């Protein structure tokens, strides 16, 4: 039996602007909730337009006239390496804080979120002094060359499903390139972002290079997007929000980078190694309580192996351990909040109403915490809501198919194009899927 980890008891809850931890200008706070117990963890300063303006000013000053503007690229990289080292030295503390605020199993935070975040910062730390331009031969007696220069102040808006990893993914490339950042962490999970900002100060980042303003999308997030002194917005989250950001950023011609939602096909052919495919399908859907943008949420299984595959994947779903995320034996924690739990349960009811077969799960677990049973639907059709919309929860949808042409066409019958996966022993077939299925990443 695994040991039960101890949740942290102290947290950074203020806004970081320049070199100061401060209350919000309005004095408002909001509660961050433990999704496993529904208890308040802490009250966090609630930033809005006034706080964003101060943070952007600090970031602009640091970019244009502070030590960051004249720092050698290699020294920027060394700061990222130092931050990674400090995070590694505090891995257990940060993993516990992530589990407390987000609800993910402590085993996942330790084995995935923290190591991947640390590795990301080290990777981009190594790139800082390798950002190069080019010399270009042109007609005439001229010397022509390009330089890659930092865009300026980057506004960064991150979601709640991988809070510390999302922060690393945003900070790493921006800081390596010499930008300064203003980050708005999601209101459900602000604590780890604030903590690693403390570690960034300890590492030696100059004031104003990293600013963190917790708050809500319609106030803090929208103000960041609209601010005239922000040069770029990097956003990870739901596609409807992406549309709003694109409209609001148009007024100031900001550069935009989006990573939005998905309804990714996971395709299992009859010639696949079924042991690997079953394990991969379970992980690809249920990992992180199903709260992954690139989850394999449309599981296409070839007719001839469908029955065997379904039986085996249901047995694996039955083995999942739902419970206290601080227990090392737990494999599935709560959903992030009540709204997310209710949204998922609503999709489950729609699946039943529209004729899909619910083979296992489908209900809330207990009456405290936002826990949902691992759920598997079979005989799902393309037109059902559970096959069309991003559920973002532990709900597996299995669809039958007959041949390659059919599954390619059906895989592309979606507004999303984030990811896809294929299981087959035929390399030619695998590469055809990778070429013809419209997805940014294909496994």
């Amino acid at each position: 039996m695994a040991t039960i980890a101890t949740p942290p008891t102290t947290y950074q809850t203020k806004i970081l602007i320049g070199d100061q931890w401060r209350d919000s200008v309005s004095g408002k706070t909001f509660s961050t909730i433990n999704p496993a117990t529904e208890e308040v963890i802490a009250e966090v300063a609630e930033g809005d337009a006034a706080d964003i303006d101060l943070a952007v000013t600090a970031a602009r000053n640091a970019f244009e006239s502070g030590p960051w503007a004249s720092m050698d690229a290699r020294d920027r990289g060394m700061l990222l390496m130092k931050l990674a080292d400090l995070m590694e030295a505090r891995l257990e503390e940060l993993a516990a804080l992530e589990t407390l605020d987000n609800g993910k199993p402590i085993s996942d935070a330790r084995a995935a979120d923290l190591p991947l975040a640390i590795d990301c910062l080290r990777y981009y730390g190594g790139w800082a002094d390798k950002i190069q331009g080019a010399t270009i031969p042109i007609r005439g007696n001229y010397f022509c060359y390009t330089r890659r220069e930092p865009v300026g102040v980057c506004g960064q808006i991150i979601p709640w499903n991988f809070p510390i990893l999302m922060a690393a993914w945003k900070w790493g490339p921006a800081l390596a390139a010499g930008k300064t950042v203003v980050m708005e962490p999601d209101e459900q999970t602000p604590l780890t972002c604030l903590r690693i900002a403390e570690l960034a100060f300890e590492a030696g980042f100059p004031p104003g290079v990293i600013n963190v303003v917790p708050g809500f999308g319609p106030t803090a997030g929208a103000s960041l997007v609209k601010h005239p002194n922000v040069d770029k917005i990097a956003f990870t989250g739901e596609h409807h929000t992406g549309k709003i950001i694109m409209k609001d950023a148009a007024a100031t011609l900001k550069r935009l980078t989006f990573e939005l939602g998905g309804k990714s096909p996971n395709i299992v052919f009859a010639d696949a190694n079924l042991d690997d495919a079953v394990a991969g399908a379970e992980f690809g859907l249920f990992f992180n309580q199903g709260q992954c943008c690139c989850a394999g949420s449309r599981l296409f299984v070839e007719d001839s192996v469908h029955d065997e595959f379904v039986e085996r994947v249901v047995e694996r779903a039955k083995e999942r351990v739902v419970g206290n995320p601080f227990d090392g034996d737990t494999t599935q924690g709560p959903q992030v909040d009540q709204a997310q739990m209710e949204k998922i349960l609503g999709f489950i009811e729609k699946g039943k109403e529209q004729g899909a077969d619910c083979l296992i799960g489908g209900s809330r677990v207990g009456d405290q915490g936002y826990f949902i049973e691992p759920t598997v639907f079979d005989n799902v059709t393309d037109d059902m809501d559970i096959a069309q919309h991003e559920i973002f929860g532990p709900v597996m949808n299995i669809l039958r198919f007959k041949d390659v042409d059919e599954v390619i066409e059906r895989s592309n019958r979606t507004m999303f194009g984030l990811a896809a996966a294929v299981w087959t022993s035929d390399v030619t077939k695998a590469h055809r899927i990778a070429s013809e299925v419209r997805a940014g990443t294909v496994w």
Side-chain angles (χ1 to χ4, degrees):
M1 179 178 291
T3 58
I4 297 178
T6 302
T9 57
T10 59
Y11 329 101
Q12 177 56 257
T13 60
K14 294 192 175 185
I15 293 170
L16 174 60
I17 297 175
D19 60 356
Q20 296 181 353
W21 291 98
R22 51 191 299 166
D23 295 327
S24 61
V25 172
S26 68
K28 292 181 181 178
T29 63
F30 64 91
S31 300
T32 184
I33 306 295
N34 180 342
T37 65
E38 304 182 47
E39 297 172 348
V40 174
I41 301 169
E43 295 293 327
V44 180
E46 180 185 333
D48 58 22
D51 305 281
I52 290 292
D53 187 57
L54 292 172
V56 172
T57 299
R60 175 61 61 188
N61 290 339
F63 178 74
E64 293 183 349
S65 58
W68 193 245
S70 59
M71 185 177 290
D72 287 344
R74 185 164 298 181
D75 292 334
R76 292 200 307 266
M78 292 301 293
L79 287 175
L80 283 167
M81 298 283 193
K82 180 69 180 296
L83 175 56
D85 291 344
L86 291 172
M87 290 171 61
E88 187 171 54
R90 293 161 176 80
L91 189 147
E92 191 65 26
E93 172 206 336
L94 292 168
L97 189 58
E98 192 81 325
T99 291
L100 179 69
D101 213 15
N102 169 274
K104 66 180 63 202
I106 187 72
S107 56
D108 289 348
R110 287 170 176 157
D113 297 62
L114 263 298
L116 289 170
I118 292 164
D119 193 51
C120 173
L121 294 174
R122 286 179 174 150
Y123 175 82
Y124 284 106
W127 264 109
D129 63 351
K130 300 171 185 67
I131 300 171
Q132 301 168 352
T135 56
I136 303 169
I138 61 172
R139 184 182 296 277
N141 187 25
Y142 303 103
F143 177 54
C144 180
Y145 66 97
T146 61
R147 285 167 47 91
R148 293 186 178 272
E149 299 179 348
V151 170
V153 176
C154 185
Q156 302 177 330
I157 303 171
I158 60 172
W160 44 258
N161 55 337
F162 293 94
I164 203 165
L165 186 54
M166 291 288 178
W169 284 353
K170 293 287 188 284
W171 287 1
L175 297 173
K179 302 183 185 109
T180 56
V181 302
V182 178
M183 176 165 281
E184 188 231 344
D186 199 280
E187 68 268 17
Q188 282 96 335
T189 53
L191 297 182
T192 45
C193 181
L194 293 168
R195 179 67 182 113
I196 61 172
E198 287 184 316
L199 296 181
F201 257 120
E202 186 176 336
F205 280 88
V209 173
I210 295 174
N211 305 272
V212 181
V213 184
F216 294 85
T219 50
S223 299
L224 188 58
V225 171
K226 296 174 183 177
H227 201 290
N229 281 328
V230 173
D231 301 289
K232 174 186 171 68
I233 293 291
F235 168 74
T236 299
E238 207 267 344
H239 74 282
H240 289 298
T241 307
K243 292 178 181 180
I244 294 170
I245 291 173
M246 184 171 281
K247 289 179 182 178
D248 287 347
T252 49
L253 294 175
K254 286 180 173 58
R255 301 187 186 198
L256 299 172
T257 301
F258 287 160
E259 194 262 359
L260 305 176
K263 195 67 181 175
S264 301
N266 186 12
I267 304 166
V268 179
F269 286 97
D271 61 2
N273 180 317
L274 289 192
D275 290 337
D276 291 344
V278 168
E282 184 220 2
F283 178 82
L285 188 282
F286 290 114
F287 177 64
N288 204 49
Q289 295 66 253
Q291 298 170 153
C292 294
C293 298
C294 58
S297 52
R298 287 185 296 152
L299 178 56
F300 289 95
V301 181
E302 194 168 3
D303 271 340
S304 60
V305 293
H306 169 272
D307 292 350
E308 179 187 354
F309 188 93
V310 169
E311 181 180 348
R312 292 172 65 174
V313 84
V314 166
E315 288 304 310
R316 284 190 69 101
K318 289 178 181 177
E319 294 171 0
R320 296 189 64 77
V321 179
V322 181
N324 177 7
F326 281 95
D327 188 331
D329 289 329
T330 295
T331 57
Q332 183 173 311
Q335 309 311 128
V336 75
D337 65 9
Q338 183 171 345
Q340 183 66 16
M341 178 186 71
E342 291 176 351
K343 171 191 168 187
I344 296 164
L345 292 173
F347 273 115
I348 290 171
E349 289 308 307
K350 285 183 180 178
K352 294 175 182 178
E353 291 168 4
Q354 293 176 352
D357 296 330
C358 186
L359 304 181
I360 182 177
S363 300
R364 182 180 183 180
V365 177
D367 57 6
Q368 184 181 53
Y370 310 122
F371 298 91
I372 293 178
E373 293 175 324
T375 301
V376 178
F377 278 104
D378 192 20
N379 295 317
V380 178
T381 58
D382 296 323
D383 59 339
M384 293 179 180
D385 283 357
I386 58 174
Q388 287 293 316
H389 299 284
E390 186 176 38
I391 300 173
F392 226 57
V395 183
M396 178 179 285
N397 304 308
I398 303 176
L399 304 90
R400 294 173 178 261
F401 75 93
K402 294 179 180 178
D403 57 45
V404 179
D405 291 336
E406 174 198 342
V407 79
I408 289 173
E409 190 275 329
R410 291 172 64 195
S411 293
N412 289 334
R413 204 182 295 171
T414 176
M415 64 166 287
F416 299 102
L418 189 61
V422 55
W423 302 86
T424 177
S425 59
D426 184 336
V427 174
T428 300
K429 191 188 300 180
H431 283 290
R432 182 182 172 193
I433 294 290
S435 173
E436 296 186 28
V437 170
R438 294 192 295 272
T441 298
V442 182
W443 289 286

